[in-house]
Amino acid sequence: MSAKIPTFSDIGKSTKELLYGGGDNGVFQFNNVLNLSSTTADGVEFKATSTQKGDSLETVVKAAYGSKNYKFASSILPDGKALLSVTAKNLAPNLTAALSGTLPDEQSGKVVVDYSVPHLTLKTTVGLTQNPKVVLAATTGQKGVVAGAEVSYDTNKNNVTTWNAGIGYNAADFQASVHLTEAGDALKASFAHNIDAYQSYGAEVYKNAHSEDVNFLLGYSKRLRDGALTKAKVQNNGNVTLLYEAELKPKTKIGISGQFDATNPNTKPKVGFAFDLKN
């Protein structure tokens, strides 16, 4: 059976995780964050995240339970609203659907449908309102090459509000992608290369047709022999971002992020600490 084609948002995923964070590639965090998570004997997952933003402390509490074909999740947000979602897999062969919404916001509901067959993946998002916004995305590919497009349509305005297109290439140690974004007004190109099992580097270049500026950033990641992760990122505006993430003991991880402006030493640097504890 052919491997599933990535969704449109996953084109260039390895580069995104290297340069911006995500997955096992560490997250740049400039607020102080505490994550506590645990799983009951029945398989219910709980997670509480507290984030210090200035003089305030915002906490999100999540609970999730899943089986082979279904997953239920709920979150209590800092403003007291409740985010609920249910995901059903294999409603039909290769068909997954998710329903989500925030209570009591009646305009927040949406349905997301994923469908995949060999060499084709489709994703549709529809808002549950009287005049919903619809996002359609499709990707196709073969032998490491993936191409796709995404279109946003506003039924209230009866108009396509924006569209994006992209193409990517995936090899065992290399990934590259080119995106045409903002309805064709901007071009973004990126790549990531795994030097070996411990090191990788990548870059991204962005150009808007309405500006003479060309924005770029470079990133480097290294996994140390003890398992700790180090990352560095440099942007064309002079910002330098650093990350150190390590497991203090099993299920206990700490992360330290910092950012400073290399072109202006008088600018106050940003520093954030993250502490993850699993039970």
Side-chain angles (χ1 to χ4, degrees), residues 172-188:
D173 63 346
F174 180 80
Q175 183 181 88
S177 64
V178 177
H179 284 78
L180 193 62
T181 65
E182 301 172 28
D185 285 341
L187 182 69
K188 181 172 66 176

Side-chain angles (χ1 to χ4, degrees), residues 32-39 44-51 57-64 74-78 274-279:
N32 296 325
V33 179
L34 173 63
N35 292 307
L36 302 175
S37 57
S38 63
T39 303
V44 180
E45 300 175 357
F46 292 98
K47 184 176 182 179
T49 300
S50 293
T51 305
L57 186 66
E58 298 182 357
T59 299
V60 177
V61 179
K62 301 179 181 180
S74 63
S75 300
I76 304 301
L77 306 179
F275 185 76
D276 295 343
L277 178 61
K278 296 180 180 181
N279 187 7

Side-chain angles (χ1 to χ4, degrees), residues 99-119:
L99 173 66
S100 65
T102 302
L103 299 177
D105 187 355
E106 299 178 355
Q107 303 295 313
S108 65
K110 66 179 181 180
V111 174
V112 179
V113 178
D114 287 275
Y115 179 69
S116 64
V117 292
H119 308 304

